[in-house]
Amino acid sequence: MDVNDELGTLEHDGDLCVLRYRRVLRQGPETVWRALTDDAHLAGWFPTTIEGERSPGASLRFSFREGEAPPFDGEMLVVDPPRVLELRWGGDVLRFELEPEGSGSSLTLTVTFPEYAKAARDAAGWHVCLEQLGYVAGEDELPFVPSQRWRAVHPGYVSRLGPEH
């Protein structure tokens, strides 16, 4: 896979930045949905734990598994299995949309956030998370170390989106 073919895109919507990724996964929407919502699967690809009900309006608490940063709050916004999951993750809004595609599925992740200065850093992070999700959904071993993978894709995002300030 050529990394540049898989880079997310960045758009501006007023004062907000919108990162968008599309991935075609070999697993069907129901399997990918489990990877998006089940705690055991989340541990293999999502950067934090998600504490709280998976229902619209529920308060959420996020904690980094290795204590890299303090816990923070959010909210579950949309839960429409197995099609849409949207949540407020601190100051960002994450929207996962699934559609059947052949025997697999198409996943679109939209990340909306207010700070442009973190675009390349976060874009590389979500890029790696989505790669991990594909392996977790298929119950396959990761063929890379996530931190090394981030270092490999980050320069491509910096060249496209600009350096952090």
Side-chain angles (χ1 to χ4, degrees), residues 61-134:
R61 181 81 169 163
F62 303 98
S63 298
F64 287 92
R65 291 174 187 84
E66 305 295 323
E68 304 92 329
F72 57 97
D73 296 318
E75 178 184 3
M76 190 62 69
L77 302 172
V78 177
V79 181
D80 181 10
R83 298 176 344 109
V84 179
L85 180 71
E86 183 176 66
L87 53 97
R88 188 172 49 77
W89 193 65
D92 298 357
V93 173
L94 310 178
R95 182 177 177 91
F96 299 89
E97 298 177 74
L98 283 166
E99 295 181 16
E101 181 153 322
S103 61
S105 56
S106 169
L107 170 66
T108 300
L109 168 61
T110 305
V111 182
T112 304
F113 59 98
E115 298 176 45
Y116 183 77
K118 68 177 194 159
R121 180 198 71 198
D122 285 11
W126 289 116
H127 178 110
V128 173
C129 286
L130 289 175
E131 285 185 341
Q132 290 174 262
L133 172 66

Side-chain angles (χ1 to χ4, degrees), residues 7-12 17-21 111 113 115-127 153-165:
L7 293 180
T9 61
L10 180 69
E11 302 165 6
H12 297 278
C17 294
V18 180
L19 280 169
R20 186 167 283 110
Y21 304 84
V111 182
F113 59 98
E115 298 176 45
Y116 183 77
K118 68 177 194 159
R121 180 198 71 198
D122 285 11
W126 289 116
H127 178 110
V153 300
H154 183 250
Y157 282 102
V158 169
S159 68
R160 290 182 68 200
L161 308 179
E164 288 84 19
H165 304 285

